[in-house]
Amino acid sequence: MKFERFELERIQSEWEHIVKYNLSESGVEALRVSDLIKDTSLQHQFLNQSLGYPQTNGTIPLRELISSQYPDLSADHVTVTNGGAEANFISLLGLSQQRDNRNEMVMLMPNYMQLWGFGKALGYRMKSFYLQASSTEWIPDIEGLKRQLSKKTHLIAICNPNNPTGAIMDADSLKAIAELAQDANAWVLSDEIYRGAELNGSITPSMLEFHDQTLVTCGLSKAYGLPGLRIGWVASANDAFIYDLWAMTDYTSIAPSLLSDALATLALQPQNRKEILARTRTILRTNWSIVNNWLTEHSHLIDCIPPKACAVCLPKYHADIGSVDLAHRLIQDKSVLVPPGDYFQMPRHLRIGFGYNTDKLTMGLHLITETLQSIT
Ligand SMILES: Cc1ncc(COP(=O)(O)O)c(C=O)c1O
């Protein structure tokens, strides 16, 4: 099995702790442990916690809290993983074992490219359908999906809300995808890690509501601002399949961290969850208005379809330079990290993350303007 380089993760891993202005994050400013453990009796409980192995698929209280986010699911319909990345990894590995002679995977583009790279490594024939840019929003090309489906289609992979555009596919679009998946007898693998990070506060419907043969992957890294916990999950109406995916984690990481499981259980208590998602929304709205003002002021250099969710947007710049070159010039000349659109198969775009510190965001945007002006 040959893995192609996961360019987005590489450029982030190499530069995010070195540059002065990191606009590559796709989530919001991370919470602190003390934001979750507020009272002293809880602090004592955590300090006295013995550090054994936890329940390897996640404790029952954690899985119950997770399953309550989806209709008709229970703790047995969920397995907890180390981040959304492991959730995607075991889901696709598990699906690939069942593909018989159906070897095609149709993936929504642009997208976070983990499933693209891993799908190729597993020998899938990769196909795409697209979010198309209208003047005001990204719209899924359902007819395009229809054209890509064949007797060989094994699964459709989507990311909703979408990284890198911040687009949301609504219930009608999800229903249309579900109907096509049903006709093709295909699985849907739906990465919903940005669910809960909608600017208007209205939680995006889960694909689980529309198609039985769905695996949802999710986690606390983005909408919840808790990437350091490394808590993700896979959820499905098919509990037997979830059981098989759990068995795969015997080979990957065995279990999530015990402390992370406990902190995640705290974060997902209904009142805490509400407050955490409200904080995320406030950050997104405040910071998006900074980015939006900057875009309006510099529309001769760069323009963007506004995101509806996530702490990222995908503007198109007008300068005559490839996006990888531009990203490296920004790192070298200005100490600004922004992932190039080419890493999402979107040339002449940049993905700007706006979920962190507002001063650094403002300065980073200013430095991007300087660079674009020097090229145009
Ligand atoms: C769409 C998507 N899925 C999964 C992941 C991986 O998430 P985690 O950091 O929880 O492993 C990311 C990270 O950026 C992502 O953007």
Side-chain angles (χ1 to χ4, degrees), residues 294-305 314-323 326 347-350 368 371-373 375-376:
W294 172 75
L295 287 163
T296 309
E297 215 176 300
H298 300 99
S299 57
H300 57 294
L301 294 174
I302 192 160
D303 56 74
C304 185
I305 295 168
L314 191 71
K316 186 171 190 189
Y317 59 84
H318 308 152
D320 189 17
I321 182 172
S323 71
L326 176 57
R348 305 282 161 137
H349 289 72
L350 292 174
I368 294 173
T371 299
L372 289 176
Q373 274 165 341
I375 298 166
T376 319

Side-chain angles (χ1 to χ4, degrees), residues 146-306:
K146 207 176 198 169
R147 283 195 299 276
Q148 295 296 345
L149 297 174
S150 77
K151 288 200 173 70
K152 297 267 182 199
T153 308
H154 183 235
L155 78 130
I156 300 167
I158 60 176
C159 175
N160 192 44
N162 177 259
N163 176 7
T165 59
I168 294 177
M169 293 194 287
D170 62 11
D172 286 344
S173 300
L174 296 179
K175 245 184 250 167
I177 294 170
E179 275 167 24
L180 291 175
Q182 192 76 34
D183 291 347
N185 189 25
W187 280 90
V188 176
L189 177 46
S190 182
D191 185 332
E192 299 179 0
I193 201 161
Y194 295 90
R195 191 167 178 242
E198 298 81 4
L199 275 101
N200 70 2
S202 161
I203 303 265
T204 307
S206 169
M207 192 66 197
L208 279 172
E209 294 168 39
F210 304 101
H211 184 57
D212 284 344
Q213 265 183 281
T214 294
L215 293 182
V216 158
T217 56
C218 196
L220 298 182
S221 301
K222 310 297 177 184
Y224 295 83
L226 293 167
L229 289 187
R230 311 303 305 130
I231 288 288
W233 60 83
V234 191
S236 175
N238 186 334
D239 51 348
F241 199 86
I242 288 292
Y243 187 84
D244 290 344
L245 293 185
W246 173 19
M248 291 197 168
T249 62
D250 298 344
Y251 285 93
T252 52
S253 59
I254 300 182
S257 133
L258 179 135
L259 286 176
S260 293
D261 184 305
L263 287 166
T265 306
L266 257 182
L268 288 177
Q269 299 298 327
Q271 186 56 28
N272 292 344
R273 175 170 183 257
K274 214 166 131 189
E275 286 170 18
I276 290 171
L277 295 183
R279 168 189 179 269
T280 297
R281 259 193 319 277
T282 303
I283 295 174
L284 294 180
R285 288 177 185 158
T286 308
N287 290 10
W288 169 246
S289 79
I290 295 172
V291 181
N292 201 22
N293 288 341
W294 172 75
L295 287 163
T296 309
E297 215 176 300
H298 300 99
S299 57
H300 57 294
L301 294 174
I302 192 160
D303 56 74
C304 185
I305 295 168

